[in-house]
Amino acid sequence: MKPSDPGKLDRIVADARRAAEQRDQGYRERALKIYPWICGRCAREFTRANVRELTVHHRDHNHDNNPPDGSNWELLCLYCHDNEHQRQLEAAGAGSNSAAAGRVSTHTPFADLKELLARKSNSK
Ligand SMILES: [Zn+2]
Ligand SMILES: [Zn+2]
């Protein structure tokens, strides 16, 4: 085996990136053909002039899941698309945050209560 040519690797990476870009371009074009140019959240309508602000959202968040019938796509304007992903992040983050907050908020009062009870019983 010869050591691999770094230039070749660069070409492979560039090819893969181009393929991914073409694939992305592909599903966007297809989604825009299948669906009316309307944001699925705020119902804002788009025309050729501003269709750049209309994005393709993947319902299952898997960008590789592009069924030809478009069932995994949803057209969303930039803002609603942002919100959609923000909500996902918050939902994911809130779960762990509230669990952590729950631990903290239950820990302290119980510790205080224990201490109070201990003090009370000691003072008797
Ligand atoms: Zn919208
Ligand atoms: Zn999305």
Side-chain angles (χ1 to χ4, degrees), residues 62-112:
N62 178 3
H63 287 212
D64 293 319
N65 183 11
N66 295 301
D69 66 352
S71 56
N72 192 37
W73 301 328
E74 196 172 16
L75 294 182
L76 298 178
C77 76
L78 282 176
Y79 306 102
C80 293
H81 198 171
D82 235 42
N83 280 343
E84 184 67 24
H85 283 251
Q86 204 60 42
R87 267 199 311 172
Q88 282 288 328
L89 286 176
E90 274 164 20
S96 51
N97 278 350
S98 66
R103 265 204 303 282
V104 170
S105 63
T106 53
H107 173 80
T108 317
F110 278 127
D112 285 353

Side-chain angles (χ1 to χ4, degrees), residues 3-124:
S4 59
D5 165 14
K8 189 183 172 190
L9 184 65
D10 281 350
R11 277 197 301 279
I12 291 170
V13 170
D15 281 354
R17 197 167 295 157
R18 208 173 307 135
E21 274 167 16
Q22 275 168 6
R23 187 197 59 198
D24 285 5
Q25 209 54 39
Y27 72 63
R28 179 180 159 81
E29 302 265 290
R30 276 188 286 150
L32 290 175
K33 260 180 208 165
I34 295 174
Y35 292 111
W37 294 2
I38 295 171
C39 172
R41 289 286 180 284
C42 67
R44 187 175 151 198
E45 288 183 38
F46 289 82
T47 63
R48 225 162 260 287
N50 60 1
V51 73
R52 260 172 294 121
E53 293 170 37
L54 188 61
T55 59
V56 180
H57 171 61
H58 288 77
R59 290 173 193 271
D60 68 355
H61 290 244
N62 178 3
H63 287 212
D64 293 319
N65 183 11
N66 295 301
D69 66 352
S71 56
N72 192 37
W73 301 328
E74 196 172 16
L75 294 182
L76 298 178
C77 76
L78 282 176
Y79 306 102
C80 293
H81 198 171
D82 235 42
N83 280 343
E84 184 67 24
H85 283 251
Q86 204 60 42
R87 267 199 311 172
Q88 282 288 328
L89 286 176
E90 274 164 20
S96 51
N97 278 350
S98 66
R103 265 204 303 282
V104 170
S105 63
T106 53
H107 173 80
T108 317
F110 278 127
D112 285 353
L113 190 63
K114 226 179 205 173
E115 207 183 308
L116 267 175
L117 288 172
R119 219 179 290 153
K120 260 186 190 165
S121 59
N122 280 347
S123 64
K124 250 185 199 170

